[in-house]
Every structure is written in C-alpha cells, then in structure tokens.
Amino acid sequence: MTSQTAAAPPGGTQELVNWLIPEWELVPKSIDDVVRLPSFASKLYECERVCRTPYAELPHETQDALVLRRLQQMFHTVMLNPLWRERLEAAGVVRAPESYAAWQRIPLSDKETQRDFFMDTRPGVVVPHSQGGFEVVASGGTSSGSPLEVIYSLRELRDTYAVAGRFMGDYQLSRYLTGTDPKWLLTTLADYQMWSSGTMVGGVLQSVPGVNFIGAGPVTAPVLEHVFSYRGPKALMGISAGIAILAELGAHMNHRARESFRVALYGSGVLPQRKRSELKALYPNLTILSYFAATQAETIGLQLSEETPELAAVPGLHLVEIVDENGRWVAEGEEGELVVTRLHAHEAPLLRLKLGDRMVRRPRLDGPGLKTQRFEFAGRTGDVLHLNDSQYSAVRAYGALRDELRTAGVVDLDAVAHEIQFVNHREEKTITLYAAVDDVQGLNYRTDTMLGPYGLQRLFVTALPRSLSLFNNGEANAASIEKTGYGLRVKFVPRHSPDIERTHVGKVPLVRDRG
C-alpha cells in the first residue's frame, strides 16, 4: 500500500470521512495491504479529535457517513476473497454500495454461511489464519445443537473491547457506580468448553474504565457474599438464569453487602417479572438492565435505563439492521430480524449476519449528548407458535394470554411464574403453557375451578389473534383459530420441573415443538 502524507482535515462531512479513510485505504489491492490497514478504531478516535466531540455524541449525519465509508472499504476487502467474490457476484452486487439503500442489496448471511466460511479450512477469511494473530470463538449451538465457530483478529478484538467498554462506562454504568469507593464489575459467565460469552463479554467488561473486573464464573452463595463484602458498589453480568438465581444465593447475605449491589446485567432474552421483583426485594439499590450480545458480536445493544426497554447500539462498533424477509430495513415501530455486521473486521469480515433474533426498530436517540440507534427485543426467530399453516409470535401470545388471565382475575403470570415455556404438541393439536411456580396445586385448582377447559379455550382464541403483527392482524380471528382444532392448556409445575426443557447451558427456550 502506498504511503501517503495526510493533509489537514477538511470541514464538510463527506470530505471529512474521505480524509479519514483515504482512497489508498478504501480499496486495498492485496492481502498484504489488508494486513497493513489502520484499524477502524483509529478512525473513530481521529474523528473525535478533529471534531472535538466524543464519537458517540457526533451528529448522526457524521456517524452514518463514516460507517458507510467503512462498509465500502469492507466490500473492497472481501472482494479479495474468491468465495466472497463469487457470493456477491451471484447476487448481482459488483460494486461498493454508494448508499445504505445499495448496501441492503448485499445478501444476508446466516449460520450456515458462517459455518461454510469460517469452519474447517476457513475459506471465508481474507487474511489466511496461517499467518497467526487470530482468536477462534465457538458456540455450542444453543438453538440448533450444532457447534459453530467464528474467527477474529486479536488486534481488532482488543479494539472492540475498548470501544464497547468505554461506552458502558460513560453511558450505562456511570450513573449507578458512583462515589469514591472502589467500583467492581463481575461476570458469572462460564469461560470453559469454548463457549464464547465468557471470553467475549469478559473482554468488554475488563475494558470499562475505572472499574475492577472479576471473572467469577458460576458462583456459590459463600463466594458471592465474599465478593459482595468488598468495599464499593458492584455490577454483575450473567445469562438470565445466572441473574435470577442471585435471589437465592443472596438470601442470607448481610445487609451491607446486599446494599452494595447496584446493577444486574442479564445477557439472554428476557428476565421474568417474578425474578425482577425477588431481586429488587433482596437488593434494595439494584437496577436491572439488559446486555444483549452474541457469539458474533460481543455488545449489540445495551439498555441504558429501567424506564425504557429499548437497547442502544454502541456507535461505531457494529452496523445493526432490523430487516424484513427481503433484507430491507423495516420502518420505525415495525418488527424485523436482527442483522449485524462487525465494523472492526479487516482480516475476517462477515457481512450482514442474521443472528436469529427479532427486534422492533425504535427512533434513534438524538438531542444533546448520546446519539445512537435503538431497538427493542421481540424474541428469538424460532419463538413462533405454528397452528397448521399459520404462525403466531409466542412473545405476543404470552403477553395477550397473560393479560386475559389477569383481567379475568385468575392469576398474574408475571407475578407468580419463575419460568414459562410453550410446548406445541402438533399431533395432539394442543399447546401447553408450562409455568414454574411455588404454589402448584393451588394455582392449578384455581385455574380449573374458575375457567375450566372451555373458559381457558375462550381466552386462548381471544388472545391469539393479538399475537399477529400489524400487517397480518386480519389473517386470523377467534372463529378461524377454533377451526384449526387446537386447544390450550395452562399447567403449573414446580421449579426445575423436567416438563420445562432447558439447553445445556441452562437457558429456557420460549417454544418447544413436539410431534
């Protein structure tokens, strides 16, 4: 790559981003050129220096222009790889996108694409991994059961950890971890069996400025009390089940230690309302927030306040897209599939990867201070109830059924359920909602007595049409659901019941299909 002397930065937005990523970096001509490319993180920092503003607080126009310039650079980079070039040319994409509308014509990648490109001989990497300097991160395949690997440049991982860690410190944790005492950030994520979250998220947490990091892994009650006895405020990150169990682990903890627990970050899906209530009753100063991550993207979205469920993207870390079935961006307020492109990926880029999650696109955060994209978790792509040929959102179905049961004065599922799971018995044409509760006999008796099978069926056919999206809400009504022959059962079971299926890492999928 030709060495150039940079001129003074110009004033206009497009001129600025062209100066930050000049032409000789935009279009690398060889693998050696890619290896020598300055990191994208260095461009973010230089943009901050020139604009004299934190990157996350720059106008959306500036952020969008720099990210688009980076996507154009990524396109030219992947075209050096024969497998990527074949994939893009087959889709009719032969030139770098000149706009975000053009970017949306690039085909979506899925888990099979990831497996084909980044496992075995890893033919999808731009810089051969034989050169060294990479990290392989693996997932056990929570949903599919099939292991999945992806490969990252170590130098770029360190950059992403720093960018995400700084964002967490500045915009999420700073309002909760206050005072002059030492501040602590723990994770109970496991770091063994190549399960990625412990490594990836731990790298981010270690990079939050001004905190002390503890990679605790799964903890016992004595270990948790020992760590919480340290002077200073604490934040802890874990999967939903790992956060929920803190209510049990801290039951006999002394009051001063419990008061020091300020932030619980749960990292997988949804934390039941019952668990939130238990945690807040035990830890009086606790705030519970979502930390949304995946194997392929260590920090996708962070909930900044309990007052709103929206997740905020970390500016400059990933391009986060919420798309329809054609890969086009949905409008604000609409639900679509989550697609992520890591912006810090010179050596092993992966374009437009579907992560298997549904999100609702929300208005961008604007005004003074932080400016970033926001979205709201709507469930896993597989969280679907199939009634013959129709599909219903299980997340919405639960919400509608919960509201119907609450209105009827039967039970408040949010208040009593530790865990919930729909099981679709397709041959029997029966959907059973299992709820793990403390008072199994009492709640089963109350439901049977107050509703009976017909009353429950009536609630079911009333609630289910509300689980359709805005554009499909004419697809079904109570009468059409009755015609499917499906019936609903609600069954209360004890905690840790084998009736509720769990993955090998302890997660409870919302939907399970059985023959």
Side-chain angles (χ1 to χ4, degrees):
M1 185 174 296
T2 305
S3 176
Q4 302 275 344
T5 301
T13 297
Q14 193 58 51
E15 290 179 301
L16 171 64
V17 300
N18 291 351
W19 176 81
L20 288 167
I21 304 179
E23 192 68 24
W24 59 89
E25 294 177 11
L26 182 71
V27 188
K29 299 295 194 297
S30 67
I31 290 173
D32 289 339
D33 281 355
V34 175
V35 172
R36 289 193 292 265
L37 282 176
S39 70
F40 184 57
S42 70
K43 307 302 179 179
L44 302 181
Y45 302 143
E46 184 67 6
C47 189
E48 287 185 336
R49 186 190 67 79
V50 170
C51 297
R52 300 180 181 179
T53 304
Y55 181 81
E57 299 182 16
L58 288 172
H60 286 294
E61 177 191 9
T62 304
Q63 293 187 32
D64 291 346
L66 182 55
V67 169
L68 181 60
R69 183 77 169 174
R70 170 65 184 126
L71 296 175
Q72 293 166 345
Q73 184 184 39
M74 292 182 74
F75 173 87
H76 291 298
T77 301
V78 299
M79 290 298 276
L80 295 171
N81 176 280
L83 195 59
W84 275 110
R85 187 166 59 250
E86 178 184 359
R87 174 176 173 78
L88 293 173
E89 289 177 349
V93 180
V94 296
R95 60 177 57 89
E98 297 179 354
S99 65
Y100 283 104
W103 169 260
Q104 293 168 61
R105 290 196 286 269
I106 289 179
L108 299 176
S109 301
D110 57 19
K111 298 300 178 67
E112 288 303 316
T113 310
Q114 183 180 338
R115 184 172 286 110
D116 292 342
F117 277 52
F118 296 102
M119 290 188 69
D120 297 326
T121 61
R122 313 189 199 283
V125 297
V126 173
V127 177
H129 63 283
S130 58
Q131 293 198 18
F134 291 93
E135 176 175 325
V136 174
V137 179
S139 166
T142 298
S143 300
S144 66
S146 300
L148 196 63
E149 294 179 354
V150 68
I151 184 169
Y152 303 121
S153 158
L154 282 170
R155 66 165 177 149
E156 291 178 310
L157 271 183
R158 286 190 286 267
D159 285 340
T160 63
Y161 295 161
V163 170
R166 176 184 167 193
F167 181 89
M168 285 187 69
D170 289 348
Y171 300 102
Q172 186 187 47
L173 297 179
S174 59
R175 71 178 75 176
Y176 306 110
L177 302 183
T178 58
T180 58
D181 285 341
K183 300 168 182 62
W184 303 91
L185 184 52
L186 303 80
T187 180
T188 54
L189 292 174
D191 201 9
Y192 53 82
Q193 296 178 335
M194 293 182 70
W195 189 47
S196 65
S197 298
T199 298
M200 301 290 286
V201 175
V204 175
L205 302 185
Q206 293 177 58
S207 302
V208 175
V211 303
N212 303 292
F213 171 72
I214 299 177
V219 296
T220 60
V223 170
L224 186 69
E225 182 167 15
H226 172 74
V227 175
F228 275 24
S229 69
Y230 297 169
R231 183 168 55 92
K234 322 290 190 310
L236 187 149
M237 190 274 167
I239 63 172
S240 296
I243 296 299
I245 201 173
L246 296 177
E248 298 176 32
L249 296 179
H252 303 292
M253 186 182 297
N254 70 73
H255 186 70
R256 183 176 178 181
R258 286 190 278 115
E259 282 186 325
S260 74
F261 190 17
R262 303 297 170 81
V263 184
L265 300 167
Y266 64 95
S268 55
V270 177
L271 189 68
Q273 184 58 45
R274 168 67 183 268
K275 294 301 180 184
R276 293 173 181 269
S277 299
E278 290 179 356
L279 288 165
K280 285 181 169 290
L282 186 65
Y283 302 100
N285 298 319
L286 186 62
T287 296
I288 302 172
L289 302 172
S290 174
Y291 181 122
F292 195 86
T295 304
Q296 302 80 4
E298 62 280 3
T299 311
I300 299 169
L302 295 168
Q303 184 181 0
L304 304 183
S305 169
E306 284 185 315
E307 298 172 1
T308 174
E310 281 90 353
L311 302 168
V314 179
L317 192 62
H318 308 102
L319 174 66
V320 178
E321 305 175 72
I322 315 299
V323 305
D324 60 20
E325 61 275 12
N326 298 314
R328 298 291 180 171
W329 294 359
V330 301
E332 289 181 359
E334 292 183 13
E335 181 182 315
E337 186 158 9
L338 174 67
V339 171
V340 170
T341 301
R342 292 176 60 86
L343 297 174
H344 303 256
H346 286 318
E347 286 96 336
L350 178 53
L351 308 184
R352 307 197 77 199
L353 177 65
K354 298 191 295 182
L355 292 180
D357 296 288
R358 305 285 296 177
M359 294 284 176
V360 177
R361 184 180 176 189
R362 295 302 185 196
R364 299 201 291 192
L365 192 61
D366 211 339
L370 178 62
K371 297 174 180 62
T372 190
Q373 182 182 358
R374 294 188 299 176
F375 41 93
E376 184 177 344
F377 181 69
R380 294 286 294 170
T381 303
D383 288 347
V384 172
L385 295 172
H386 296 267
L387 275 69
N388 296 343
D389 294 329
S390 295
Q391 300 181 13
Y392 302 84
S393 162
V395 174
R396 289 201 188 99
Y398 168 75
L401 182 60
R402 173 204 59 205
D403 293 346
E404 292 287 340
L405 288 168
R406 185 187 291 156
T407 301
V410 179
V411 64
D412 184 341
L413 287 173
D414 276 351
V416 303
H418 297 279
E419 297 169 329
I420 58 166
Q421 186 174 78
F422 284 105
V423 177
N424 189 349
H425 303 268
R426 295 204 184 194
E427 289 187 4
E428 300 174 15
K429 288 197 169 185
T430 300
I431 291 177
T432 302
L433 175 63
Y434 289 96
V437 299
D438 296 327
D439 183 14
V440 177
Q441 290 184 337
L443 287 170
N444 278 324
Y445 177 79
R446 180 179 177 84
T447 303
D448 291 343
T449 302
M450 293 189 67
L451 293 177
Y454 181 75
L456 193 56
Q457 182 70 12
R458 178 182 56 78
L459 292 185
F460 176 55
V461 299
T462 301
L464 202 58
R466 301 210 303 273
S467 66
L468 293 166
S469 71
L470 174 67
F471 301 104
N472 299 105
N473 59 12
E475 184 177 309
N477 53 34
S480 64
I481 292 173
E482 287 279 19
K483 288 180 181 179
T484 66
Y486 260 87
L488 174 73
R489 295 184 298 178
V490 175
K491 185 176 179 181
F492 297 99
V493 297
R495 298 177 67 178
H496 313 300
S497 168
D499 288 320
I500 294 180
E501 295 184 26
R502 293 169 178 79
T503 69
H504 70 286
V505 294
K507 297 182 181 180
V508 177
L510 183 58
V511 178
R512 275 293 182 254
D513 282 305
R514 296 177 186 166

PDB file of all heavy atoms in Angstrom, residues 44 118 151 172 195 202 289 299 337 402 489:
ATOM      1  N   LEU A  44     -12.154   6.174  14.394  1.00  0.00           N
ATOM      2  CA  LEU A  44     -13.116   6.743  15.341  1.00  0.00           C
ATOM      3  C   LEU A  44     -12.434   7.753  16.248  1.00  0.00           C
ATOM      4  O   LEU A  44     -12.964   8.849  16.496  1.00  0.00           O
ATOM      5  CB  LEU A  44     -13.740   5.633  16.184  1.00  0.00           C
ATOM      6  CG  LEU A  44     -14.482   4.513  15.450  1.00  0.00           C
ATOM      7  CD1 LEU A  44     -15.062   3.520  16.458  1.00  0.00           C
ATOM      8  CD2 LEU A  44     -15.593   5.070  14.567  1.00  0.00           C
ATOM      9  N   PHE A 118     -16.258 -20.035   7.849  1.00  0.00           N
ATOM     10  CA  PHE A 118     -15.326 -19.841   8.962  1.00  0.00           C
ATOM     11  C   PHE A 118     -15.040 -21.095   9.780  1.00  0.00           C
ATOM     12  O   PHE A 118     -14.439 -20.995  10.850  1.00  0.00           O
ATOM     13  CB  PHE A 118     -15.844 -18.727   9.884  1.00  0.00           C
ATOM     14  CG  PHE A 118     -15.897 -17.389   9.194  1.00  0.00           C
ATOM     15  CD1 PHE A 118     -17.091 -16.871   8.730  1.00  0.00           C
ATOM     16  CD2 PHE A 118     -14.743 -16.657   8.982  1.00  0.00           C
ATOM     17  CE1 PHE A 118     -17.142 -15.656   8.081  1.00  0.00           C
ATOM     18  CE2 PHE A 118     -14.771 -15.441   8.330  1.00  0.00           C
ATOM     19  CZ  PHE A 118     -15.979 -14.935   7.867  1.00  0.00           C
ATOM     20  N   ILE A 151     -13.969 -16.622  13.568  1.00  0.00           N
ATOM     21  CA  ILE A 151     -12.567 -16.266  13.814  1.00  0.00           C
ATOM     22  C   ILE A 151     -12.417 -14.755  13.748  1.00  0.00           C
ATOM     23  O   ILE A 151     -13.013 -14.089  12.902  1.00  0.00           O
ATOM     24  CB  ILE A 151     -11.648 -16.964  12.778  1.00  0.00           C
ATOM     25  CG1 ILE A 151     -10.171 -16.694  13.074  1.00  0.00           C
ATOM     26  CG2 ILE A 151     -12.017 -16.606  11.355  1.00  0.00           C
ATOM     27  CD1 ILE A 151      -9.220 -17.570  12.255  1.00  0.00           C
ATOM     28  N   GLN A 172     -23.783   3.866  30.493  1.00  0.00           N
ATOM     29  CA  GLN A 172     -24.651   2.915  31.177  1.00  0.00           C
ATOM     30  C   GLN A 172     -24.356   2.825  32.667  1.00  0.00           C
ATOM     31  O   GLN A 172     -25.258   2.965  33.499  1.00  0.00           O
ATOM     32  CB  GLN A 172     -24.531   1.519  30.535  1.00  0.00           C
ATOM     33  CG  GLN A 172     -25.532   0.510  31.117  1.00  0.00           C
ATOM     34  CD  GLN A 172     -25.306  -0.892  30.601  1.00  0.00           C
ATOM     35  OE1 GLN A 172     -24.176  -1.373  30.585  1.00  0.00           O
ATOM     36  NE2 GLN A 172     -26.376  -1.547  30.167  1.00  0.00           N
ATOM     37  N   TRP A 195     -17.177 -22.054  25.099  1.00  0.00           N
ATOM     38  CA  TRP A 195     -18.428 -21.296  24.991  1.00  0.00           C
ATOM     39  C   TRP A 195     -18.082 -19.827  25.028  1.00  0.00           C
ATOM     40  O   TRP A 195     -17.446 -19.348  25.955  1.00  0.00           O
ATOM     41  CB  TRP A 195     -19.370 -21.689  26.125  1.00  0.00           C
ATOM     42  CG  TRP A 195     -20.734 -21.123  25.983  1.00  0.00           C
ATOM     43  CD1 TRP A 195     -21.512 -21.117  24.862  1.00  0.00           C
ATOM     44  CD2 TRP A 195     -21.486 -20.460  26.991  1.00  0.00           C
ATOM     45  NE1 TRP A 195     -22.700 -20.501  25.104  1.00  0.00           N
ATOM     46  CE2 TRP A 195     -22.716 -20.081  26.401  1.00  0.00           C
ATOM     47  CE3 TRP A 195     -21.257 -20.131  28.320  1.00  0.00           C
ATOM     48  CZ2 TRP A 195     -23.711 -19.412  27.111  1.00  0.00           C
ATOM     49  CZ3 TRP A 195     -22.248 -19.463  29.022  1.00  0.00           C
ATOM     50  CH2 TRP A 195     -23.460 -19.120  28.419  1.00  0.00           C
ATOM     51  N   GLY A 202     -16.405 -10.933  28.710  1.00  0.00           N
ATOM     52  CA  GLY A 202     -15.372 -10.636  29.697  1.00  0.00           C
ATOM     53  C   GLY A 202     -14.355  -9.642  29.175  1.00  0.00           C
ATOM     54  O   GLY A 202     -13.880  -8.774  29.913  1.00  0.00           O
ATOM     55  N   LEU A 289     -30.792  -4.327  34.087  1.00  0.00           N
ATOM     56  CA  LEU A 289     -30.694  -3.869  32.705  1.00  0.00           C
ATOM     57  C   LEU A 289     -30.311  -5.023  31.785  1.00  0.00           C
ATOM     58  O   LEU A 289     -29.675  -5.986  32.213  1.00  0.00           O
ATOM     59  CB  LEU A 289     -29.650  -2.754  32.581  1.00  0.00           C
ATOM     60  CG  LEU A 289     -29.863  -1.507  33.445  1.00  0.00           C
ATOM     61  CD1 LEU A 289     -28.644  -0.590  33.359  1.00  0.00           C
ATOM     62  CD2 LEU A 289     -31.126  -0.764  33.026  1.00  0.00           C
ATOM     63  N   THR A 299     -21.112  -6.952  21.940  1.00  0.00           N
ATOM     64  CA  THR A 299     -22.029  -5.967  22.522  1.00  0.00           C
ATOM     65  C   THR A 299     -22.905  -5.431  21.397  1.00  0.00           C
ATOM     66  O   THR A 299     -22.481  -4.556  20.653  1.00  0.00           O
ATOM     67  CB  THR A 299     -21.274  -4.799  23.186  1.00  0.00           C
ATOM     68  OG1 THR A 299     -20.263  -5.313  24.033  1.00  0.00           O
ATOM     69  CG2 THR A 299     -22.216  -3.938  24.004  1.00  0.00           C
ATOM     70  N   GLU A 337     -36.031  -8.886  11.571  1.00  0.00           N
ATOM     71  CA  GLU A 337     -34.959  -9.758  12.035  1.00  0.00           C
ATOM     72  C   GLU A 337     -33.684  -8.954  12.251  1.00  0.00           C
ATOM     73  O   GLU A 337     -33.350  -8.053  11.480  1.00  0.00           O
ATOM     74  CB  GLU A 337     -34.713 -10.875  11.029  1.00  0.00           C
ATOM     75  CG  GLU A 337     -33.713 -11.905  11.517  1.00  0.00           C
ATOM     76  CD  GLU A 337     -33.837 -13.248  10.836  1.00  0.00           C
ATOM     77  OE1 GLU A 337     -34.592 -13.347   9.853  1.00  0.00           O
ATOM     78  OE2 GLU A 337     -33.182 -14.198  11.286  1.00  0.00           O
ATOM     79  N   ARG A 402     -51.466 -13.598  29.140  1.00  0.00           N
ATOM     80  CA  ARG A 402     -51.234 -13.072  30.487  1.00  0.00           C
ATOM     81  C   ARG A 402     -52.251 -11.996  30.831  1.00  0.00           C
ATOM     82  O   ARG A 402     -52.830 -11.982  31.928  1.00  0.00           O
ATOM     83  CB  ARG A 402     -49.819 -12.498  30.553  1.00  0.00           C
ATOM     84  CG  ARG A 402     -49.483 -11.756  31.839  1.00  0.00           C
ATOM     85  CD  ARG A 402     -48.362 -10.758  31.602  1.00  0.00           C
ATOM     86  NE  ARG A 402     -48.723  -9.773  30.581  1.00  0.00           N
ATOM     87  CZ  ARG A 402     -47.846  -9.110  29.840  1.00  0.00           C
ATOM     88  NH1 ARG A 402     -46.550  -9.330  29.976  1.00  0.00           N
ATOM     89  NH2 ARG A 402     -48.264  -8.230  28.947  1.00  0.00           N
ATOM     90  N   ARG A 489     -53.782 -25.517  26.978  1.00  0.00           N
ATOM     91  CA  ARG A 489     -53.733 -25.904  28.380  1.00  0.00           C
ATOM     92  C   ARG A 489     -52.715 -25.015  29.086  1.00  0.00           C
ATOM     93  O   ARG A 489     -51.689 -24.676  28.512  1.00  0.00           O
ATOM     94  CB  ARG A 489     -53.315 -27.371  28.540  1.00  0.00           C
ATOM     95  CG  ARG A 489     -54.315 -28.359  27.964  1.00  0.00           C
ATOM     96  CD  ARG A 489     -53.892 -29.783  28.253  1.00  0.00           C
ATOM     97  NE  ARG A 489     -52.595 -30.093  27.634  1.00  0.00           N
ATOM     98  CZ  ARG A 489     -51.980 -31.265  27.756  1.00  0.00           C
ATOM     99  NH1 ARG A 489     -52.538 -32.232  28.478  1.00  0.00           N
ATOM    100  NH2 ARG A 489     -50.813 -31.470  27.177  1.00  0.00           N
TER     101      ARG A 489
END
